[in-house]
Amino acid sequence: MSEEQYSGKPLAYLDQNILDAFLKAKDENKSFIEEFKSKVQVVYSDITLQEIHLAGSEYSQFFLQLLQDINAHHISIQIDQNWKPTNTLRGSLKSPFHHYQIFLENRQYDEMLVQCKMNTFALYGGIKDFHQLADQQIINQHNLLNDLENQLNILKEIRNKDPIVLQFIKQKEEELDSLKCKIPTFENSVTFSTEKLKEANCKLDAHLAFRKALGINIDKIKEINFPNVIEKIWKSIQLNNNILKNIEFHDFCQINFDPTAYERELTDFEKIHALYSILNLIGYMPEKKVKNEAKFIASDRDISHVAYACLCSYFITNDERLLNKSRAIYEYLNIDTEVLEISVFK
Protein backbone atom coordinates (compact mmCIF):
# COMPACT_ATOMS: atom_id res chain seq x y z
CA MET A 1 0.00 0.00 0.00
CA SER A 2 1.75 3.13 -1.22
CA GLU A 3 1.85 6.72 0.05
CA GLU A 4 2.63 5.88 3.67
CA GLN A 5 4.59 2.73 2.63
CA TYR A 6 2.49 0.73 5.04
CA SER A 7 4.15 -2.42 6.39
CA GLY A 8 2.11 -3.21 9.48
CA LYS A 9 -0.78 -5.55 10.29
CA PRO A 10 -2.68 -7.43 7.55
CA LEU A 11 -5.35 -5.32 5.84
CA ALA A 12 -8.97 -6.23 6.50
CA TYR A 13 -11.71 -4.79 4.28
CA LEU A 14 -15.08 -4.89 6.03
CA ASP A 15 -18.43 -5.26 4.30
CA GLN A 16 -21.05 -2.76 5.45
CA ASN A 17 -22.93 -5.42 7.42
CA ILE A 18 -19.86 -5.85 9.64
CA LEU A 19 -19.63 -2.12 10.34
CA ASP A 20 -23.34 -2.13 11.10
CA ALA A 21 -22.88 -5.01 13.56
CA PHE A 22 -19.95 -3.20 15.20
CA LEU A 23 -22.06 -0.07 15.56
CA LYS A 24 -24.87 -2.02 17.23
CA ALA A 25 -22.56 -4.09 19.43
CA LYS A 26 -23.46 -4.21 23.09
CA ASP A 27 -20.94 -3.48 25.81
CA GLU A 28 -19.97 -7.15 26.24
CA ASN A 29 -18.88 -7.25 22.58
CA LYS A 30 -16.79 -4.09 22.70
CA SER A 31 -13.79 -6.06 23.93
CA PHE A 32 -14.01 -8.28 20.83
CA ILE A 33 -13.87 -5.22 18.57
CA GLU A 34 -10.77 -3.99 20.41
CA GLU A 35 -9.13 -7.40 20.07
CA PHE A 36 -10.09 -7.58 16.39
CA LYS A 37 -8.51 -4.22 15.55
CA SER A 38 -5.33 -5.28 17.37
CA LYS A 39 -4.94 -8.17 14.89
CA VAL A 40 -5.68 -6.36 11.63
CA GLN A 41 -5.61 -2.95 9.99
CA VAL A 42 -9.19 -2.12 9.01
CA VAL A 43 -9.53 -0.29 5.68
CA TYR A 44 -12.46 1.27 3.85
CA SER A 45 -13.12 2.86 0.45
CA ASP A 46 -15.32 5.50 -1.13
CA ILE A 47 -17.89 2.72 -1.63
CA THR A 48 -18.01 2.39 2.16
CA LEU A 49 -18.60 6.14 2.33
CA GLN A 50 -21.46 5.75 -0.17
CA GLU A 51 -23.05 3.16 2.11
CA ILE A 52 -22.60 5.46 5.09
CA HIS A 53 -24.16 8.36 3.19
CA LEU A 54 -27.17 6.23 2.26
CA ALA A 55 -27.67 5.33 5.92
CA GLY A 56 -28.83 8.95 6.41
CA SER A 57 -27.40 11.94 8.18
CA GLU A 58 -28.71 10.67 11.52
CA TYR A 59 -26.40 7.64 11.36
CA SER A 60 -23.53 8.77 9.13
CA GLN A 61 -21.70 10.51 11.97
CA PHE A 62 -21.91 7.35 14.09
CA PHE A 63 -20.40 5.25 11.31
CA LEU A 64 -17.62 7.77 10.74
CA GLN A 65 -16.86 7.87 14.44
CA LEU A 66 -16.74 4.07 14.46
CA LEU A 67 -14.20 4.08 11.61
CA GLN A 68 -12.12 6.59 13.54
CA ASP A 69 -12.39 4.57 16.76
CA ILE A 70 -11.11 1.42 15.08
CA ASN A 71 -8.32 3.42 13.39
CA ALA A 72 -9.54 2.55 9.88
CA HIS A 73 -7.46 3.73 6.90
CA HIS A 74 -8.99 5.03 3.69
CA ILE A 75 -7.84 3.20 0.54
CA SER A 76 -8.12 3.98 -3.16
CA ILE A 77 -6.76 2.43 -6.34
CA GLN A 78 -3.63 4.11 -7.63
CA ILE A 79 -3.98 5.45 -11.19
CA ASP A 80 -1.18 5.37 -13.76
CA GLN A 81 -0.08 8.21 -16.07
CA ASN A 82 -2.82 7.28 -18.55
CA TRP A 83 -5.53 7.45 -15.89
CA LYS A 84 -5.86 3.67 -15.86
CA PRO A 85 -6.18 1.68 -12.60
CA THR A 86 -3.21 -0.28 -11.29
CA ASN A 87 -2.96 -3.22 -8.87
CA THR A 88 -1.63 -0.89 -6.18
CA LEU A 89 -3.49 0.62 -3.24
CA ARG A 90 -3.01 4.14 -1.98
CA GLY A 91 -3.64 4.47 1.73
CA SER A 92 -4.40 7.51 3.85
CA LEU A 93 -4.14 8.09 7.58
CA LYS A 94 -6.41 11.13 7.44
CA SER A 95 -9.63 11.10 9.42
CA PRO A 96 -12.75 9.35 8.03
CA PHE A 97 -14.51 12.69 8.56
CA HIS A 98 -11.96 14.30 6.20
CA HIS A 99 -12.52 11.70 3.48
CA TYR A 100 -16.29 11.85 3.92
CA GLN A 101 -16.21 15.61 3.35
CA ILE A 102 -14.22 15.09 0.14
CA PHE A 103 -16.72 12.43 -0.90
CA LEU A 104 -19.61 14.87 -0.37
CA GLU A 105 -17.84 17.58 -2.36
CA ASN A 106 -17.41 15.29 -5.36
CA ARG A 107 -20.90 13.93 -5.77
CA GLN A 108 -21.72 15.91 -8.93
CA TYR A 109 -20.98 12.81 -11.00
CA ASP A 110 -23.23 10.45 -9.02
CA GLU A 111 -26.13 10.54 -11.45
CA MET A 112 -23.83 10.09 -14.43
CA LEU A 113 -22.24 7.04 -12.82
CA VAL A 114 -25.64 5.54 -12.06
CA GLN A 115 -26.73 6.04 -15.68
CA CYS A 116 -23.60 4.24 -16.85
CA LYS A 117 -24.93 1.12 -15.12
CA MET A 118 -28.41 1.27 -16.65
CA ASN A 119 -27.54 -0.98 -19.62
CA THR A 120 -26.76 -3.74 -17.15
CA PHE A 121 -29.93 -2.90 -15.21
CA ALA A 122 -31.83 -3.37 -18.48
CA LEU A 123 -30.60 -6.98 -18.67
CA TYR A 124 -32.67 -7.68 -15.55
CA GLY A 125 -35.85 -6.14 -16.94
CA GLY A 126 -35.47 -2.97 -14.95
CA ILE A 127 -35.88 -0.55 -17.88
CA LYS A 128 -39.30 0.14 -19.38
CA ASP A 129 -38.60 3.18 -21.57
CA PHE A 130 -35.61 2.45 -23.80
CA HIS A 131 -35.90 5.73 -25.71
CA GLN A 132 -35.52 7.57 -22.43
CA LEU A 133 -32.52 5.37 -21.57
CA ALA A 134 -30.81 6.33 -24.85
CA ASP A 135 -31.64 10.03 -24.46
CA GLN A 136 -30.30 10.10 -20.90
CA GLN A 137 -27.02 8.44 -21.87
CA ILE A 138 -26.50 10.93 -24.70
CA ILE A 139 -27.32 13.87 -22.40
CA ASN A 140 -24.88 12.51 -19.81
CA GLN A 141 -22.11 12.31 -22.40
CA HIS A 142 -22.65 15.93 -23.42
CA ASN A 143 -22.73 16.99 -19.75
CA LEU A 144 -19.49 15.14 -19.09
CA LEU A 145 -17.71 16.76 -22.03
CA ASN A 146 -18.97 20.19 -20.94
CA ASP A 147 -17.70 19.55 -17.43
CA LEU A 148 -14.29 18.47 -18.74
CA GLU A 149 -14.09 21.61 -20.86
CA ASN A 150 -14.99 23.77 -17.86
CA GLN A 151 -12.30 22.08 -15.76
CA LEU A 152 -9.70 22.72 -18.46
CA ASN A 153 -10.77 26.38 -18.68
CA ILE A 154 -10.27 26.71 -14.93
CA LEU A 155 -6.74 25.31 -15.30
CA LYS A 156 -6.00 27.73 -18.14
CA GLU A 157 -7.24 30.71 -16.11
CA ILE A 158 -4.74 29.90 -13.36
CA ARG A 159 -2.01 30.73 -15.94
CA ASN A 160 0.38 28.16 -14.55
CA LYS A 161 3.81 28.34 -16.22
CA ASP A 162 4.86 24.83 -15.25
CA PRO A 163 5.68 23.03 -18.55
CA ILE A 164 4.24 19.74 -17.23
CA VAL A 165 0.91 21.43 -16.45
CA LEU A 166 0.89 23.20 -19.81
CA GLN A 167 1.61 19.91 -21.59
CA PHE A 168 -1.20 18.25 -19.62
CA ILE A 169 -3.66 20.98 -20.65
CA LYS A 170 -2.64 20.69 -24.30
CA GLN A 171 -2.95 16.89 -24.24
CA LYS A 172 -6.40 16.99 -22.62
CA GLU A 173 -7.61 19.67 -25.05
CA GLU A 174 -6.62 17.42 -27.95
CA GLU A 175 -8.35 14.46 -26.35
CA LEU A 176 -11.46 16.54 -25.72
CA ASP A 177 -11.57 17.68 -29.35
CA SER A 178 -11.25 14.07 -30.44
CA LEU A 179 -14.13 13.03 -28.16
CA LYS A 180 -16.32 15.82 -29.52
CA CYS A 181 -15.70 14.59 -33.06
CA LYS A 182 -16.83 11.12 -32.03
CA ILE A 183 -20.17 12.30 -30.58
CA PRO A 184 -22.25 11.36 -33.69
CA THR A 185 -20.73 7.86 -33.64
CA PHE A 186 -21.41 7.60 -29.91
CA GLU A 187 -25.04 8.63 -30.36
CA ASN A 188 -25.54 6.05 -33.11
CA SER A 189 -23.96 3.36 -30.91
CA VAL A 190 -26.22 4.26 -27.98
CA THR A 191 -29.32 4.11 -30.18
CA PHE A 192 -28.24 0.76 -31.62
CA SER A 193 -27.39 -0.82 -28.24
CA THR A 194 -30.62 0.30 -26.56
CA GLU A 195 -32.65 -1.09 -29.47
CA LYS A 196 -30.85 -4.41 -29.03
CA LEU A 197 -31.55 -4.34 -25.29
CA LYS A 198 -35.21 -3.69 -26.02
CA GLU A 199 -35.29 -6.68 -28.39
CA ALA A 200 -33.50 -8.86 -25.82
CA ASN A 201 -36.25 -8.10 -23.28
CA CYS A 202 -39.22 -8.52 -25.63
CA LYS A 203 -40.35 -11.98 -24.41
CA LEU A 204 -38.35 -12.64 -21.25
CA ASP A 205 -36.16 -10.45 -19.09
CA ALA A 206 -32.82 -10.54 -20.91
CA HIS A 207 -30.95 -12.34 -18.11
CA LEU A 208 -33.55 -15.14 -18.11
CA ALA A 209 -33.40 -15.36 -21.90
CA PHE A 210 -29.58 -15.55 -21.62
CA ARG A 211 -29.80 -18.47 -19.19
CA LYS A 212 -32.40 -20.22 -21.32
CA ALA A 213 -30.30 -19.84 -24.48
CA LEU A 214 -27.30 -21.42 -22.73
CA GLY A 215 -29.41 -24.18 -21.15
CA ILE A 216 -28.46 -23.05 -17.66
CA ASN A 217 -30.22 -24.71 -14.73
CA ILE A 218 -29.56 -22.51 -11.70
CA ASP A 219 -30.73 -25.27 -9.34
CA LYS A 220 -27.89 -27.44 -10.69
CA ILE A 221 -25.46 -24.53 -10.35
CA LYS A 222 -26.47 -24.20 -6.69
CA GLU A 223 -25.19 -27.73 -6.10
CA ILE A 224 -21.68 -26.91 -7.30
CA ASN A 225 -19.23 -26.77 -4.41
CA PHE A 226 -15.65 -25.62 -3.87
CA PRO A 227 -12.97 -26.01 -5.06
CA ASN A 228 -12.83 -24.67 -8.63
CA VAL A 229 -16.41 -23.42 -8.61
CA ILE A 230 -16.16 -21.25 -11.73
CA GLU A 231 -14.37 -23.94 -13.75
CA LYS A 232 -17.13 -26.42 -12.82
CA ILE A 233 -19.87 -23.95 -13.74
CA TRP A 234 -18.22 -23.28 -17.10
CA LYS A 235 -17.82 -27.00 -17.87
CA SER A 236 -21.53 -27.54 -17.17
CA ILE A 237 -22.39 -24.71 -19.59
CA GLN A 238 -20.01 -26.07 -22.24
CA LEU A 239 -21.71 -29.48 -22.09
CA ASN A 240 -24.92 -27.86 -23.34
CA ASN A 241 -23.24 -25.60 -25.89
CA ASN A 242 -20.86 -27.11 -28.44
CA ILE A 243 -20.07 -23.65 -29.76
CA LEU A 244 -18.42 -22.84 -26.42
CA LYS A 245 -16.47 -26.08 -25.93
CA ASN A 246 -13.13 -24.60 -27.08
CA ILE A 247 -13.62 -21.19 -25.43
CA GLU A 248 -12.06 -20.41 -22.06
CA PHE A 249 -14.21 -18.70 -19.46
CA HIS A 250 -11.93 -15.65 -19.29
CA ASP A 251 -12.33 -15.24 -23.07
CA PHE A 252 -16.10 -15.56 -22.76
CA CYS A 253 -16.00 -12.78 -20.14
CA GLN A 254 -13.53 -10.74 -22.22
CA ILE A 255 -11.28 -9.99 -19.26
CA ASN A 256 -7.87 -10.50 -20.84
CA PHE A 257 -7.29 -7.04 -22.24
CA ASP A 258 -8.58 -3.50 -21.99
CA PRO A 259 -10.97 -3.00 -24.96
CA THR A 260 -9.84 0.64 -25.20
CA ALA A 261 -6.11 -0.25 -25.16
CA TYR A 262 -5.38 -3.81 -26.29
CA GLU A 263 -1.75 -3.67 -25.21
CA ARG A 264 -2.84 -3.29 -21.57
CA GLU A 265 -3.92 -6.26 -19.49
CA LEU A 266 -6.81 -5.58 -17.14
CA THR A 267 -6.05 -5.42 -13.43
CA ASP A 268 -7.64 -7.83 -10.95
CA PHE A 269 -9.72 -4.88 -9.74
CA GLU A 270 -11.24 -4.56 -13.23
CA LYS A 271 -11.55 -8.30 -13.86
CA ILE A 272 -13.57 -8.74 -10.68
CA HIS A 273 -16.23 -6.30 -11.88
CA ALA A 274 -16.66 -8.31 -15.09
CA LEU A 275 -16.58 -11.75 -13.44
CA TYR A 276 -19.05 -10.80 -10.71
CA SER A 277 -21.49 -9.44 -13.29
CA ILE A 278 -21.23 -12.60 -15.41
CA LEU A 279 -21.80 -14.83 -12.37
CA ASN A 280 -24.96 -12.85 -11.65
CA LEU A 281 -26.15 -13.33 -15.23
CA ILE A 282 -25.35 -17.04 -15.17
CA GLY A 283 -27.26 -17.42 -11.91
CA TYR A 284 -24.56 -18.35 -9.39
CA MET A 285 -25.75 -17.02 -6.04
CA PRO A 286 -27.86 -14.47 -7.96
CA GLU A 287 -28.97 -11.20 -6.42
CA LYS A 288 -32.61 -10.82 -5.41
CA LYS A 289 -35.12 -8.20 -6.60
CA VAL A 290 -32.71 -6.74 -9.18
CA LYS A 291 -35.63 -5.21 -11.07
CA ASN A 292 -35.68 -2.73 -8.22
CA GLU A 293 -33.17 0.01 -9.05
CA ALA A 294 -32.11 0.55 -5.44
CA LYS A 295 -31.45 -3.19 -5.01
CA PHE A 296 -29.54 -3.30 -8.29
CA ILE A 297 -27.31 -0.37 -7.30
CA ALA A 298 -26.74 -1.97 -3.88
CA SER A 299 -25.59 -5.12 -5.67
CA ASP A 300 -23.22 -3.00 -7.76
CA ARG A 301 -21.69 -1.60 -4.56
CA ASP A 302 -21.05 -5.20 -3.44
CA ILE A 303 -19.03 -5.75 -6.62
CA SER A 304 -16.84 -2.77 -5.76
CA HIS A 305 -16.34 -4.00 -2.20
CA VAL A 306 -15.06 -7.33 -3.57
CA ALA A 307 -12.79 -5.50 -6.03
CA TYR A 308 -11.20 -3.28 -3.36
CA ALA A 309 -10.77 -6.21 -1.00
CA CYS A 310 -8.74 -8.17 -3.57
CA LEU A 311 -5.69 -6.12 -2.58
CA CYS A 312 -6.14 -6.85 1.13
CA SER A 313 -5.43 -9.88 3.29
CA TYR A 314 -9.04 -10.32 4.38
CA PHE A 315 -12.51 -9.56 3.08
CA ILE A 316 -14.96 -9.93 5.96
CA THR A 317 -18.69 -10.28 5.39
CA ASN A 318 -21.67 -12.02 6.95
CA ASP A 319 -23.56 -12.05 3.63
CA GLU A 320 -23.51 -15.68 2.45
CA ARG A 321 -24.20 -14.82 -1.18
CA LEU A 322 -21.42 -12.24 -1.27
CA LEU A 323 -19.07 -14.53 0.63
CA ASN A 324 -19.43 -17.41 -1.85
CA LYS A 325 -19.22 -15.27 -4.99
CA SER A 326 -16.13 -13.42 -3.80
CA ARG A 327 -14.45 -16.70 -2.80
CA ALA A 328 -15.20 -18.18 -6.23
CA ILE A 329 -13.78 -15.13 -8.03
CA TYR A 330 -10.65 -14.90 -5.89
CA GLU A 331 -10.07 -18.62 -6.39
CA TYR A 332 -10.42 -18.29 -10.18
CA LEU A 333 -8.03 -15.32 -10.35
CA ASN A 334 -5.54 -16.86 -7.87
CA ILE A 335 -6.00 -13.94 -5.47
CA ASP A 336 -4.77 -14.64 -1.94
CA THR A 337 -7.44 -12.61 -0.12
CA GLU A 338 -9.23 -14.74 2.48
CA VAL A 339 -13.00 -14.30 2.62
CA LEU A 340 -14.24 -14.83 6.15
CA GLU A 341 -17.17 -14.30 8.44
CA ILE A 342 -16.45 -12.10 11.44
CA SER A 343 -17.10 -15.06 13.78
CA VAL A 344 -13.78 -16.59 12.65
CA PHE A 345 -11.98 -13.93 14.70
CA LYS A 346 -13.83 -14.73 17.91
Side-chain angles (χ1 to χ4, degrees):
M1 185 165 66
S2 62
E3 194 170 278
E4 278 82 22
Q5 296 300 316
Y6 177 81
S7 60
K9 295 175 288 187
L11 304 181
Y13 190 102
L14 309 187
D15 188 15
Q16 190 65 20
N17 55 50
I18 304 299
L19 292 177
D20 192 52
F22 279 8
L23 196 62
K24 295 174 180 175
K26 296 180 180 178
D27 289 341
E28 58 266 28
N29 292 323
K30 299 293 185 184
S31 59
F32 163 72
I33 296 174
E34 288 298 316
E35 184 180 353
F36 173 76
K37 79 171 188 178
S38 72
K39 296 176 180 176
V40 300
Q41 175 57 62
V42 175
V43 295
Y44 66 97
S45 69
D46 278 353
I47 307 301
T48 310
L49 297 178
Q50 282 185 27
E51 304 259 24
I52 288 172
H53 180 71
L54 289 168
S57 56
E58 181 179 352
Y59 295 102
S60 60
Q61 298 302 306
F62 294 119
F63 277 113
L64 294 170
Q65 187 60 53
L66 169 66
L67 290 174
Q68 184 153 296
D69 290 343
I70 60 178
N71 190 33
H73 292 183
H74 180 270
I75 58 171
S76 57
I77 298 296
Q78 196 153 302
I79 304 300
D80 67 16
Q81 68 273 16
N82 296 314
W83 299 89
K84 298 288 187 178
T86 68
N87 271 324
T88 304
L89 285 178
R90 171 174 289 172
S92 171
L93 299 174
K94 292 179 180 176
S95 160
F97 293 93
H98 167 82
H99 286 288
Y100 188 64
Q101 187 58 41
I102 294 175
F103 163 78
L104 292 178
E105 291 170 359
N106 288 280
R107 298 192 64 236
Q108 68 268 33
Y109 302 111
D110 282 8
E111 184 56 32
M112 289 185 192
L113 292 172
V114 168
Q115 289 303 320
C116 288
K117 306 175 194 303
M118 288 299 101
N119 278 5
T120 304
F121 186 41
L123 296 176
Y124 294 96
I127 298 295
K128 302 304 177 188
D129 189 335
F130 286 89
H131 290 298
Q132 183 182 35
L133 173 63
D135 289 344
Q136 189 59 59
Q137 290 185 342
I138 290 169
I139 289 169
N140 281 344
Q141 183 68 7
H142 282 283
N143 288 342
L144 180 58
L145 293 181
N146 289 336
D147 184 74
L148 290 173
E149 188 167 22
N150 290 336
Q151 296 299 325
L152 281 173
N153 287 335
I154 290 171
L155 276 177
K156 288 160 71 175
E157 288 171 6
I158 295 172
R159 300 183 184 280
N160 193 307
K161 300 298 183 183
D162 188 320
I164 294 177
V165 174
L166 294 174
Q167 178 60 33
F168 174 82
I169 292 172
K170 181 182 177 184
Q171 177 187 341
K172 295 308 169 186
E173 283 181 326
E174 291 172 354
E175 291 175 6
L176 184 59
D177 288 340
S178 175
L179 287 171
K180 286 179 178 179
C181 290
K182 293 175 182 177
I183 280 291
T185 303
F186 171 79
E187 292 180 354
N188 289 335
S189 297
V190 167
T191 302
F192 177 79
S193 64
T194 50
E195 281 299 318
K196 289 299 180 183
L197 282 169
K198 184 178 180 180
E199 290 174 18
N201 282 280
C202 65
K203 293 180 180 179
L204 275 176
D205 291 345
H207 72 293
L208 298 177
F210 174 80
R211 292 172 193 170
K212 184 177 180 180
L214 292 181
I216 292 171
N217 184 329
I218 63 171
D219 290 328
K220 291 291 185 182
I221 286 179
K222 276 182 189 176
E223 297 171 2
I224 293 175
N225 296 314
F226 289 90
N228 304 318
V229 166
I230 289 179
E231 286 88 343
K232 290 174 182 175
I233 291 173
W234 186 236
K235 280 185 179 179
S236 72
I237 292 173
Q238 287 176 313
L239 286 174
N240 295 322
N241 298 273
N242 285 334
I243 196 172
L244 298 176
K245 66 179 181 180
N246 294 319
I247 297 176
E248 298 293 337
F249 185 65
H250 54 260
D251 291 322
F252 179 76
C253 299
Q254 297 183 334
I255 60 171
N256 280 338
F257 301 101
D258 182 347
T260 65
Y262 287 110
E263 72 282 358
R264 189 183 78 90
E265 184 177 349
L266 293 178
T267 63
D268 287 339
F269 184 84
E270 294 166 291
K271 290 177 183 179
I272 285 168
H273 282 82
L275 287 171
Y276 198 109
S277 297
I278 290 291
L279 288 180
N280 277 342
L281 280 174
I282 287 171
Y284 177 66
M285 299 285 172
E287 307 298 330
K288 296 179 179 179
K289 299 179 180 178
V290 282
K291 274 192 179 183
N292 177 291
E293 186 174 327
K295 292 285 186 183
F296 171 77
I297 297 300
S299 170
D300 190 74
R301 288 195 298 273
D302 285 342
I303 299 176
S304 293
H305 285 317
V306 177
Y308 275 107
C310 82
L311 294 169
C312 301
S313 297
Y314 302 113
F315 177 42
I316 304 173
T317 178
N318 286 337
D319 181 330
E320 183 180 4
R321 187 179 294 105
L322 184 58
L323 185 143
N324 282 298
K325 271 195 288 202
S326 54
R327 276 181 177 167
I329 291 169
Y330 292 159
E331 177 188 55
Y332 181 75
L333 294 176
N334 294 314
I335 291 170
D336 292 333
T337 303
E338 289 189 72
V339 188
L340 303 169
E341 294 180 320
I342 192 66
S343 58
V344 171
F345 289 87
K346 290 185 178 179

